[in-house]
Short mmCIF file of all heavy atoms in Angstrom, two decimals:
data_model
loop_
_atom_site.label_atom_id
_atom_site.label_comp_id
_atom_site.label_asym_id
_atom_site.label_seq_id
_atom_site.Cartn_x
_atom_site.Cartn_y
_atom_site.Cartn_z
N MET A 477 60.72 58.69 -20.36
CA MET A 477 61.85 58.87 -19.45
C MET A 477 61.60 58.13 -18.14
O MET A 477 60.46 57.92 -17.76
CB MET A 477 62.08 60.36 -19.18
CG MET A 477 61.03 61.01 -18.30
SD MET A 477 61.51 62.62 -17.69
CE MET A 477 61.41 63.60 -19.17
N GLU A 478 62.67 57.74 -17.51
CA GLU A 478 62.52 56.98 -16.28
C GLU A 478 62.51 57.90 -15.06
O GLU A 478 63.37 58.78 -14.95
CB GLU A 478 63.65 55.96 -16.16
CG GLU A 478 63.53 54.85 -17.18
CD GLU A 478 64.53 53.74 -16.92
OE1 GLU A 478 65.71 54.04 -16.67
OE2 GLU A 478 64.14 52.58 -16.96
N LYS A 479 61.53 57.66 -14.21
CA LYS A 479 61.42 58.46 -12.99
C LYS A 479 61.14 57.56 -11.80
O LYS A 479 60.64 56.45 -11.95
CB LYS A 479 60.29 59.49 -13.13
CG LYS A 479 60.64 60.64 -14.06
CD LYS A 479 59.62 61.75 -13.93
CE LYS A 479 60.07 62.95 -14.77
NZ LYS A 479 59.13 64.06 -14.66
N ILE A 480 61.43 58.10 -10.62
CA ILE A 480 61.14 57.36 -9.40
C ILE A 480 59.68 57.56 -9.02
O ILE A 480 59.14 58.67 -9.12
CB ILE A 480 62.05 57.85 -8.26
CG1 ILE A 480 63.50 57.47 -8.59
CG2 ILE A 480 61.62 57.26 -6.92
CD1 ILE A 480 64.50 58.01 -7.61
N VAL A 481 59.06 56.48 -8.60
CA VAL A 481 57.67 56.53 -8.14
C VAL A 481 57.62 55.95 -6.73
O VAL A 481 58.25 54.93 -6.44
CB VAL A 481 56.75 55.71 -9.08
CG1 VAL A 481 55.33 55.67 -8.55
CG2 VAL A 481 56.78 56.30 -10.48
N ILE A 482 56.89 56.61 -5.84
CA ILE A 482 56.70 56.12 -4.47
C ILE A 482 55.25 55.71 -4.27
O ILE A 482 54.34 56.46 -4.59
CB ILE A 482 57.04 57.23 -3.43
CG1 ILE A 482 58.48 57.71 -3.56
CG2 ILE A 482 56.73 56.76 -2.01
CD1 ILE A 482 59.52 56.73 -3.09
N ASP A 483 55.06 54.52 -3.74
CA ASP A 483 53.72 54.06 -3.36
C ASP A 483 53.44 54.55 -1.94
O ASP A 483 53.96 54.03 -0.97
CB ASP A 483 53.66 52.53 -3.43
CG ASP A 483 52.26 52.00 -3.13
OD1 ASP A 483 51.46 52.75 -2.54
OD2 ASP A 483 52.00 50.84 -3.48
N LYS A 484 52.62 55.59 -1.85
CA LYS A 484 52.36 56.22 -0.55
C LYS A 484 51.56 55.32 0.39
O LYS A 484 51.52 55.55 1.59
CB LYS A 484 51.61 57.55 -0.74
CG LYS A 484 52.35 58.55 -1.62
CD LYS A 484 53.42 59.31 -0.86
CE LYS A 484 54.07 60.34 -1.76
NZ LYS A 484 54.74 61.40 -1.06
N GLN A 485 50.91 54.31 -0.18
CA GLN A 485 50.20 53.34 0.67
C GLN A 485 51.19 52.47 1.44
O GLN A 485 50.85 51.91 2.48
CB GLN A 485 49.31 52.42 -0.18
CG GLN A 485 48.30 53.12 -1.05
CD GLN A 485 47.21 53.79 -0.23
OE1 GLN A 485 46.85 53.30 0.83
NE2 GLN A 485 46.72 54.91 -0.71
N LYS A 486 52.39 52.35 0.89
CA LYS A 486 53.37 51.45 1.49
C LYS A 486 54.48 52.16 2.25
O LYS A 486 55.05 51.60 3.18
CB LYS A 486 54.01 50.59 0.40
CG LYS A 486 53.09 49.58 -0.24
CD LYS A 486 53.89 48.74 -1.22
CE LYS A 486 53.05 47.67 -1.90
NZ LYS A 486 53.82 46.98 -2.96
N CYS A 487 54.86 53.37 1.83
CA CYS A 487 56.01 54.06 2.43
C CYS A 487 55.77 54.35 3.91
O CYS A 487 54.75 54.92 4.28
CB CYS A 487 56.28 55.37 1.68
SG CYS A 487 57.60 56.34 2.44
N ILE A 488 56.73 53.94 4.75
CA ILE A 488 56.61 54.18 6.19
C ILE A 488 57.50 55.35 6.64
O ILE A 488 57.67 55.58 7.83
CB ILE A 488 56.95 52.91 7.00
CG1 ILE A 488 58.35 52.41 6.63
CG2 ILE A 488 55.91 51.83 6.79
CD1 ILE A 488 58.90 51.33 7.56
N GLY A 489 58.10 56.03 5.67
CA GLY A 489 58.90 57.22 6.00
C GLY A 489 60.17 56.93 6.76
O GLY A 489 60.62 57.75 7.56
N CYS A 490 60.77 55.79 6.51
CA CYS A 490 62.00 55.43 7.24
C CYS A 490 63.16 56.37 6.88
O CYS A 490 64.10 56.52 7.64
CB CYS A 490 62.40 53.99 6.97
SG CYS A 490 63.14 53.72 5.35
N GLY A 491 63.07 56.97 5.69
CA GLY A 491 64.07 57.96 5.30
C GLY A 491 65.28 57.41 4.57
O GLY A 491 66.13 58.18 4.11
N PHE A 492 65.37 56.11 4.45
CA PHE A 492 66.55 55.52 3.83
C PHE A 492 66.78 56.06 2.42
O PHE A 492 67.88 56.49 2.06
CB PHE A 492 66.40 53.98 3.82
CG PHE A 492 67.50 53.29 3.08
CD1 PHE A 492 68.81 53.37 3.52
CD2 PHE A 492 67.22 52.55 1.93
CE1 PHE A 492 69.83 52.72 2.82
CE2 PHE A 492 68.24 51.90 1.23
CZ PHE A 492 69.54 51.99 1.68
N CYS A 493 65.74 56.04 1.60
CA CYS A 493 65.92 56.47 0.21
C CYS A 493 66.17 57.98 0.13
O CYS A 493 66.95 58.44 -0.70
CB CYS A 493 64.71 56.07 -0.64
SG CYS A 493 63.17 56.84 -0.15
N VAL A 494 65.52 58.74 1.00
CA VAL A 494 65.68 60.21 0.98
C VAL A 494 67.10 60.59 1.34
O VAL A 494 67.71 61.46 0.69
CB VAL A 494 64.66 60.87 1.95
CG1 VAL A 494 64.86 62.38 1.98
CG2 VAL A 494 63.25 60.53 1.55
N HIS A 495 67.65 59.92 2.35
CA HIS A 495 69.02 60.23 2.76
C HIS A 495 70.04 59.70 1.76
O HIS A 495 71.11 60.29 1.60
CB HIS A 495 69.29 59.69 4.17
CG HIS A 495 68.47 60.38 5.21
ND1 HIS A 495 68.49 61.75 5.39
CD2 HIS A 495 67.57 59.91 6.10
CE1 HIS A 495 67.66 62.08 6.37
NE2 HIS A 495 67.08 60.98 6.81
N SER A 496 69.72 58.61 1.10
CA SER A 496 70.66 58.03 0.13
C SER A 496 70.68 58.82 -1.17
O SER A 496 71.71 58.89 -1.84
CB SER A 496 70.26 56.59 -0.18
OG SER A 496 70.26 55.81 0.98
N HIS A 497 69.54 59.42 -1.54
CA HIS A 497 69.44 60.11 -2.84
C HIS A 497 68.70 61.44 -2.70
O HIS A 497 67.61 61.62 -3.25
CB HIS A 497 68.70 59.22 -3.86
CG HIS A 497 69.31 57.87 -3.99
ND1 HIS A 497 70.43 57.64 -4.75
CD2 HIS A 497 68.98 56.69 -3.42
CE1 HIS A 497 70.75 56.35 -4.66
NE2 HIS A 497 69.90 55.76 -3.86
N PRO A 498 69.31 62.39 -1.97
CA PRO A 498 68.61 63.66 -1.75
C PRO A 498 68.36 64.45 -3.03
O PRO A 498 67.50 65.33 -3.05
CB PRO A 498 69.56 64.42 -0.81
CG PRO A 498 70.88 63.76 -0.94
CD PRO A 498 70.61 62.33 -1.31
N GLU A 499 69.09 64.12 -4.09
CA GLU A 499 68.84 64.83 -5.35
C GLU A 499 67.59 64.30 -6.06
O GLU A 499 67.08 64.94 -6.97
CB GLU A 499 70.07 64.76 -6.27
CG GLU A 499 70.37 63.39 -6.87
CD GLU A 499 71.17 62.45 -5.96
OE1 GLU A 499 70.95 62.47 -4.73
OE2 GLU A 499 71.99 61.68 -6.48
N TYR A 500 67.10 63.14 -5.63
CA TYR A 500 65.91 62.55 -6.26
C TYR A 500 64.68 62.55 -5.36
O TYR A 500 63.56 62.50 -5.85
CB TYR A 500 66.19 61.09 -6.67
CG TYR A 500 67.07 60.97 -7.88
CD1 TYR A 500 68.44 60.75 -7.73
CD2 TYR A 500 66.56 61.07 -9.17
CE1 TYR A 500 69.28 60.65 -8.84
CE2 TYR A 500 67.38 60.97 -10.28
CZ TYR A 500 68.73 60.75 -10.11
OH TYR A 500 69.55 60.65 -11.21
N LEU A 501 64.92 62.58 -4.04
CA LEU A 501 63.80 62.38 -3.12
C LEU A 501 63.86 63.35 -1.95
O LEU A 501 64.94 63.64 -1.42
CB LEU A 501 63.83 60.95 -2.57
CG LEU A 501 63.54 59.85 -3.60
CD1 LEU A 501 64.36 58.62 -3.33
CD2 LEU A 501 62.06 59.54 -3.62
N VAL A 502 62.70 63.82 -1.54
CA VAL A 502 62.59 64.65 -0.33
C VAL A 502 61.46 64.05 0.52
O VAL A 502 60.80 63.10 0.10
CB VAL A 502 62.24 66.12 -0.69
CG1 VAL A 502 63.39 66.77 -1.45
CG2 VAL A 502 60.95 66.21 -1.49
N PHE A 503 61.25 64.60 1.70
CA PHE A 503 60.10 64.20 2.50
C PHE A 503 58.92 65.11 2.15
O PHE A 503 59.08 66.32 1.98
CB PHE A 503 60.39 64.36 4.00
CG PHE A 503 61.29 63.29 4.55
CD1 PHE A 503 62.55 63.61 5.04
CD2 PHE A 503 60.89 61.97 4.60
CE1 PHE A 503 63.39 62.64 5.57
CE2 PHE A 503 61.72 60.98 5.11
CZ PHE A 503 62.97 61.32 5.59
N ASP A 504 57.73 64.53 2.07
CA ASP A 504 56.54 65.37 1.91
C ASP A 504 56.05 65.81 3.30
O ASP A 504 56.66 65.50 4.32
CB ASP A 504 55.46 64.65 1.09
CG ASP A 504 54.87 63.44 1.82
OD1 ASP A 504 55.11 63.28 3.03
OD2 ASP A 504 54.16 62.65 1.16
N GLU A 505 54.93 66.51 3.33
CA GLU A 505 54.44 67.07 4.61
C GLU A 505 53.97 65.97 5.57
O GLU A 505 53.82 66.22 6.75
CB GLU A 505 53.34 68.12 4.36
CG GLU A 505 52.05 67.61 3.77
CD GLU A 505 52.11 67.37 2.25
OE1 GLU A 505 53.16 67.60 1.61
OE2 GLU A 505 51.08 66.95 1.70
N MET A 506 53.76 64.76 5.03
CA MET A 506 53.36 63.63 5.88
C MET A 506 54.56 62.82 6.36
O MET A 506 54.41 61.81 7.04
CB MET A 506 52.42 62.69 5.10
CG MET A 506 51.18 63.34 4.55
SD MET A 506 50.09 63.94 5.86
CE MET A 506 49.42 62.39 6.43
N GLY A 507 55.76 63.26 5.96
CA GLY A 507 56.96 62.54 6.38
C GLY A 507 57.26 61.30 5.54
O GLY A 507 58.04 60.44 5.93
N GLN A 508 56.61 61.24 4.38
CA GLN A 508 56.88 60.13 3.46
C GLN A 508 57.81 60.61 2.35
O GLN A 508 57.93 61.80 2.09
CB GLN A 508 55.57 59.62 2.84
CG GLN A 508 54.65 58.95 3.84
CD GLN A 508 53.39 58.46 3.19
OE1 GLN A 508 52.63 59.24 2.63
NE2 GLN A 508 53.15 57.17 3.28
N ALA A 509 58.43 59.64 1.70
CA ALA A 509 59.33 59.98 0.59
C ALA A 509 58.51 60.55 -0.57
O ALA A 509 57.41 60.09 -0.86
CB ALA A 509 60.08 58.74 0.13
N ASP A 510 59.09 61.54 -1.23
CA ASP A 510 58.41 62.22 -2.32
C ASP A 510 59.43 62.45 -3.44
O ASP A 510 60.44 63.13 -3.23
CB ASP A 510 57.88 63.57 -1.80
CG ASP A 510 56.67 64.04 -2.56
OD1 ASP A 510 55.97 63.21 -3.16
OD2 ASP A 510 56.43 65.26 -2.57
N PRO A 511 59.20 61.90 -4.63
CA PRO A 511 60.15 62.12 -5.72
C PRO A 511 60.10 63.57 -6.19
O PRO A 511 59.02 64.15 -6.30
CB PRO A 511 59.66 61.18 -6.83
CG PRO A 511 58.45 60.50 -6.33
CD PRO A 511 58.05 61.10 -5.02
N VAL A 512 61.26 64.14 -6.48
CA VAL A 512 61.27 65.53 -6.95
C VAL A 512 60.92 65.63 -8.43
O VAL A 512 60.75 66.72 -8.97
CB VAL A 512 62.63 66.23 -6.69
CG1 VAL A 512 62.95 66.27 -5.21
CG2 VAL A 512 63.76 65.55 -7.47
N GLY A 513 60.83 64.47 -9.10
CA GLY A 513 60.44 64.48 -10.50
C GLY A 513 61.60 64.49 -11.48
O GLY A 513 61.42 64.63 -12.69
N LYS A 514 62.78 64.34 -10.93
CA LYS A 514 63.99 64.35 -11.75
C LYS A 514 64.09 63.06 -12.56
O LYS A 514 63.80 61.97 -12.07
CB LYS A 514 65.18 64.47 -10.80
CG LYS A 514 66.56 64.47 -11.41
CD LYS A 514 67.57 64.71 -10.28
CE LYS A 514 68.94 64.14 -10.55
NZ LYS A 514 69.68 64.78 -11.60
N GLU A 515 64.52 63.20 -13.82
CA GLU A 515 64.73 62.03 -14.65
C GLU A 515 65.90 61.21 -14.10
O GLU A 515 66.93 61.79 -13.70
CB GLU A 515 65.04 62.47 -16.08
CG GLU A 515 65.26 61.30 -17.01
CD GLU A 515 65.46 61.73 -18.47
OE1 GLU A 515 65.47 62.95 -18.74
OE2 GLU A 515 65.60 60.86 -19.32
N VAL A 516 65.74 59.89 -14.07
CA VAL A 516 66.81 59.02 -13.56
C VAL A 516 67.98 59.04 -14.55
O VAL A 516 67.82 58.70 -15.72
CB VAL A 516 66.30 57.58 -13.37
CG1 VAL A 516 67.46 56.63 -13.05
CG2 VAL A 516 65.26 57.54 -12.25
N GLU A 517 69.13 59.46 -14.08
CA GLU A 517 70.32 59.49 -14.93
C GLU A 517 70.98 58.11 -14.91
O GLU A 517 71.02 57.45 -13.87
CB GLU A 517 71.30 60.55 -14.43
CG GLU A 517 70.77 61.97 -14.60
CD GLU A 517 71.79 63.00 -14.15
OE1 GLU A 517 72.98 62.86 -14.48
OE2 GLU A 517 71.39 63.94 -13.45
N SER A 518 71.53 57.72 -16.05
CA SER A 518 72.10 56.36 -16.14
C SER A 518 73.21 56.14 -15.13
O SER A 518 73.35 55.05 -14.58
CB SER A 518 72.58 56.07 -17.56
OG SER A 518 73.38 57.12 -18.02
N LYS A 519 73.95 57.18 -14.81
CA LYS A 519 75.05 57.03 -13.84
C LYS A 519 74.52 56.73 -12.43
O LYS A 519 75.25 56.20 -11.60
CB LYS A 519 75.92 58.29 -13.82
CG LYS A 519 75.26 59.52 -13.19
CD LYS A 519 76.24 60.67 -13.07
CE LYS A 519 75.61 61.97 -12.60
NZ LYS A 519 74.94 61.94 -11.31
N ASP A 520 73.29 57.08 -12.16
CA ASP A 520 72.71 56.89 -10.82
C ASP A 520 71.87 55.63 -10.72
O ASP A 520 71.45 55.24 -9.63
CB ASP A 520 71.81 58.08 -10.45
CG ASP A 520 72.59 59.39 -10.39
OD1 ASP A 520 73.79 59.34 -10.07
OD2 ASP A 520 71.98 60.44 -10.67
N LYS A 521 71.61 54.99 -11.86
CA LYS A 521 70.58 53.95 -11.87
C LYS A 521 70.93 52.75 -10.98
O LYS A 521 70.08 52.27 -10.23
CB LYS A 521 70.31 53.48 -13.30
CG LYS A 521 69.04 52.65 -13.36
CD LYS A 521 68.51 52.51 -14.74
CE LYS A 521 67.28 51.61 -14.71
NZ LYS A 521 66.79 51.33 -16.06
N ASN A 522 72.17 52.29 -11.04
CA ASN A 522 72.54 51.13 -10.22
C ASN A 522 72.39 51.41 -8.74
O ASN A 522 71.90 50.58 -7.97
CB ASN A 522 73.96 50.67 -10.54
CG ASN A 522 74.01 49.82 -11.79
OD1 ASN A 522 72.96 49.43 -12.31
ND2 ASN A 522 75.21 49.55 -12.27
N ASP A 523 72.82 52.60 -8.32
CA ASP A 523 72.68 52.99 -6.91
C ASP A 523 71.20 53.03 -6.51
O ASP A 523 70.82 52.59 -5.43
CB ASP A 523 73.28 54.37 -6.67
CG ASP A 523 74.79 54.30 -6.50
OD1 ASP A 523 75.32 53.17 -6.47
OD2 ASP A 523 75.43 55.37 -6.41
N LEU A 524 70.39 53.58 -7.40
CA LEU A 524 68.96 53.67 -7.11
C LEU A 524 68.32 52.29 -7.02
O LEU A 524 67.51 52.02 -6.13
CB LEU A 524 68.25 54.51 -8.18
CG LEU A 524 68.48 56.02 -8.07
CD1 LEU A 524 68.09 56.73 -9.35
CD2 LEU A 524 67.69 56.61 -6.90
N LEU A 525 68.73 51.40 -7.92
CA LEU A 525 68.18 50.05 -7.89
C LEU A 525 68.56 49.32 -6.60
O LEU A 525 67.76 48.57 -6.03
CB LEU A 525 68.66 49.24 -9.11
CG LEU A 525 68.04 49.67 -10.45
CD1 LEU A 525 68.71 48.94 -11.60
CD2 LEU A 525 66.54 49.41 -10.47
N GLU A 526 69.76 49.61 -6.12
CA GLU A 526 70.18 49.00 -4.86
C GLU A 526 69.33 49.53 -3.70
O GLU A 526 68.91 48.79 -2.82
CB GLU A 526 71.66 49.31 -4.62
CG GLU A 526 72.27 48.37 -3.61
CD GLU A 526 73.79 48.37 -3.70
OE1 GLU A 526 74.32 48.23 -4.81
OE2 GLU A 526 74.41 48.55 -2.65
N THR A 527 69.09 50.83 -3.71
CA THR A 527 68.23 51.42 -2.67
C THR A 527 66.83 50.84 -2.75
O THR A 527 66.22 50.51 -1.72
CB THR A 527 68.18 52.95 -2.85
OG1 THR A 527 69.49 53.46 -2.61
CG2 THR A 527 67.20 53.59 -1.89
N ILE A 528 66.32 50.69 -3.95
CA ILE A 528 64.98 50.11 -4.14
C ILE A 528 64.91 48.72 -3.51
O ILE A 528 63.93 48.36 -2.85
CB ILE A 528 64.65 50.06 -5.66
CG1 ILE A 528 64.32 51.48 -6.15
CG2 ILE A 528 63.51 49.09 -5.96
CD1 ILE A 528 64.26 51.63 -7.65
N GLU A 529 65.98 47.96 -3.70
CA GLU A 529 66.03 46.62 -3.14
C GLU A 529 65.98 46.64 -1.61
O GLU A 529 65.51 45.69 -0.99
CB GLU A 529 67.34 45.96 -3.57
CG GLU A 529 67.17 44.62 -4.23
CD GLU A 529 68.49 44.14 -4.78
OE1 GLU A 529 69.29 43.63 -3.98
OE2 GLU A 529 68.73 44.32 -5.98
N HIS A 530 66.48 47.72 -1.01
CA HIS A 530 66.57 47.77 0.45
C HIS A 530 65.44 48.55 1.11
O HIS A 530 65.43 48.68 2.33
CB HIS A 530 67.93 48.36 0.87
CG HIS A 530 69.06 47.41 0.59
ND1 HIS A 530 69.79 47.45 -0.57
CD2 HIS A 530 69.55 46.38 1.30
CE1 HIS A 530 70.70 46.48 -0.55
NE2 HIS A 530 70.57 45.82 0.58
N CYS A 531 64.53 49.08 0.34
CA CYS A 531 63.35 49.72 0.96
C CYS A 531 62.60 48.65 1.75
O CYS A 531 62.25 47.60 1.21
CB CYS A 531 62.44 50.31 -0.12
SG CYS A 531 60.83 50.82 0.54
N PRO A 532 62.34 48.90 3.03
CA PRO A 532 61.73 47.86 3.88
C PRO A 532 60.32 47.48 3.48
O PRO A 532 59.84 46.41 3.84
CB PRO A 532 61.76 48.48 5.29
CG PRO A 532 61.88 49.94 5.07
CD PRO A 532 62.65 50.13 3.80
N THR A 533 59.63 48.34 2.74
CA THR A 533 58.24 48.03 2.40
C THR A 533 58.00 47.94 0.90
O THR A 533 56.85 47.94 0.44
CB THR A 533 57.30 49.10 2.99
OG1 THR A 533 57.68 50.38 2.46
CG2 THR A 533 57.38 49.14 4.50
N GLU A 534 59.07 47.90 0.13
CA GLU A 534 58.96 47.83 -1.34
C GLU A 534 58.06 48.93 -1.89
O GLU A 534 57.21 48.69 -2.76
CB GLU A 534 58.45 46.45 -1.78
CG GLU A 534 59.42 45.34 -1.37
CD GLU A 534 58.97 43.95 -1.80
OE1 GLU A 534 57.90 43.82 -2.42
OE2 GLU A 534 59.71 43.01 -1.51
N ALA A 535 58.25 50.14 -1.38
CA ALA A 535 57.38 51.25 -1.76
C ALA A 535 57.94 52.07 -2.92
O ALA A 535 57.25 52.96 -3.44
CB ALA A 535 57.16 52.17 -0.56
N ILE A 536 59.15 51.78 -3.31
CA ILE A 536 59.81 52.64 -4.30
C ILE A 536 60.15 51.83 -5.55
O ILE A 536 60.51 50.66 -5.47
CB ILE A 536 61.07 53.30 -3.67
CG1 ILE A 536 61.84 54.14 -4.69
CG2 ILE A 536 61.98 52.29 -3.01
CD1 ILE A 536 62.92 55.00 -4.05
N ARG A 537 59.98 52.48 -6.70
CA ARG A 537 60.32 51.80 -7.96
C ARG A 537 60.71 52.84 -9.00
O ARG A 537 60.46 54.04 -8.83
CB ARG A 537 59.16 50.94 -8.46
CG ARG A 537 57.91 51.73 -8.81
CD ARG A 537 56.75 50.82 -9.21
NE ARG A 537 55.62 51.58 -9.74
CZ ARG A 537 54.68 52.14 -9.00
NH1 ARG A 537 54.73 52.04 -7.69
NH2 ARG A 537 53.69 52.82 -9.55
N ILE A 538 61.29 52.35 -10.07
CA ILE A 538 61.58 53.23 -11.21
C ILE A 538 60.56 52.87 -12.30
O ILE A 538 60.34 51.70 -12.58
CB ILE A 538 63.02 53.02 -11.73
CG1 ILE A 538 64.02 53.54 -10.71
CG2 ILE A 538 63.21 53.74 -13.06
CD1 ILE A 538 65.49 53.26 -11.08
N GLU A 539 59.95 53.88 -12.87
CA GLU A 539 58.95 53.64 -13.89
C GLU A 539 59.31 54.42 -15.15
O GLU A 539 59.81 55.55 -15.07
CB GLU A 539 57.59 54.11 -13.37
CG GLU A 539 56.44 53.26 -13.85
CD GLU A 539 55.17 53.57 -13.08
OE1 GLU A 539 54.55 54.61 -13.37
OE2 GLU A 539 54.80 52.77 -12.19
N ASP A 540 59.04 53.79 -16.30
CA ASP A 540 59.26 54.48 -17.57
C ASP A 540 58.01 55.30 -17.88
O ASP A 540 56.96 54.74 -18.19
CB ASP A 540 59.52 53.44 -18.66
CG ASP A 540 60.18 54.08 -19.87
OD1 ASP A 540 60.52 55.28 -19.81
OD2 ASP A 540 60.35 53.37 -20.87
N ILE A 541 58.13 56.62 -17.74
CA ILE A 541 56.98 57.48 -17.90
C ILE A 541 57.01 58.11 -19.29
O ILE A 541 57.99 58.77 -19.67
CB ILE A 541 56.95 58.55 -16.79
CG1 ILE A 541 56.71 57.84 -15.45
CG2 ILE A 541 55.88 59.60 -17.05
CD1 ILE A 541 56.86 58.72 -14.24
N LYS A 542 55.93 57.87 -20.04
CA LYS A 542 55.87 58.41 -21.40
C LYS A 542 55.44 59.88 -21.36
O LYS A 542 54.49 60.23 -20.69
CB LYS A 542 54.86 57.61 -22.23
CG LYS A 542 55.20 56.13 -22.32
CD LYS A 542 56.03 55.83 -23.56
CE LYS A 542 56.39 54.37 -23.66
NZ LYS A 542 57.51 53.97 -22.79
N GLU A 543 56.15 60.68 -22.10
CA GLU A 543 55.81 62.10 -22.20
C GLU A 543 54.86 62.27 -23.40
O GLU A 543 54.94 61.54 -24.37
CB GLU A 543 57.07 62.93 -22.44
CG GLU A 543 58.08 62.80 -21.35
CD GLU A 543 57.88 63.81 -20.22
OE1 GLU A 543 57.72 65.00 -20.52
OE2 GLU A 543 57.92 63.39 -19.06
N ASP A 544 54.00 63.26 -23.31
CA ASP A 544 52.98 63.45 -24.34
C ASP A 544 53.41 64.41 -25.46
O ASP A 544 52.60 65.00 -26.10
CB ASP A 544 51.69 64.00 -23.72
CG ASP A 544 50.82 62.85 -23.23
OD1 ASP A 544 51.15 61.70 -23.57
OD2 ASP A 544 49.85 63.10 -22.53
N ASN A 545 54.65 64.63 -25.68
CA ASN A 545 54.98 65.52 -26.81
C ASN A 545 56.31 65.14 -27.43
O ASN A 545 57.01 64.30 -26.96
CB ASN A 545 54.98 66.99 -26.38
CG ASN A 545 55.81 67.23 -25.12
OD1 ASN A 545 56.69 66.41 -24.80
ND2 ASN A 545 55.54 68.28 -24.41
S1 LIG B 10 63.06 53.54 1.81
FE1 LIG B 10 60.93 52.95 1.36
S2 LIG B 10 59.81 53.15 3.31
FE2 LIG B 10 61.77 54.25 3.53
S3 LIG B 10 61.24 56.40 3.02
FE3 LIG B 10 61.97 55.39 1.11
S4 LIG B 10 60.11 54.62 0.10
FE4 LIG B 10 59.59 55.08 2.22
#
């Protein structure tokens, strides 16, 4: 399944992705974006890809995560 992944080494906590997609992302205790773990729905994918393109530090991506069962 596809999920959002944040590179915490790169995220500067600008908040753009969190405010654009509050159903997918929240702030962690360090003020960085934190994925809630929700599966990316196909209806949201284009919007998410656009947000990914506009992240100032290229810290966000969608990854195909294999489940073990
Ligand atoms: S848009 Fe990028 S830098 Fe800004 S909070 Fe999201 S992941 Fe972090």
Side-chain angles (χ1 to χ4, degrees):
M477 72 166 71
E478 291 189 314
K479 287 192 174 181
I480 293 174
V481 175
I482 300 289
D483 183 341
K484 302 279 183 159
Q485 303 292 327
K486 291 184 179 173
C487 175
I488 55 169
C490 76
F492 174 63
C493 64
V494 177
H495 294 304
S496 301
H497 306 280
E499 70 277 37
Y500 286 97
L501 292 144
V502 294
F503 285 116
D504 67 12
E505 66 280 0
M506 303 295 286
Q508 293 180 300
D510 207 23
V512 299
K514 178 176 154 68
E515 181 175 2
V516 171
E517 293 183 44
S518 49
K519 71 174 174 58
D520 298 330
K521 193 163 177 185
N522 279 351
D523 279 354
L524 285 164
L525 288 173
E526 199 162 310
T527 295
I528 285 168
E529 233 172 80
H530 289 93
C531 169
T533 58
E534 298 181 0
I536 176 170
R537 63 184 188 276
I538 291 174
E539 215 168 76
D540 198 6
I541 293 171
K542 300 268 179 281
E543 300 271 312
D544 273 349
N545 50 22

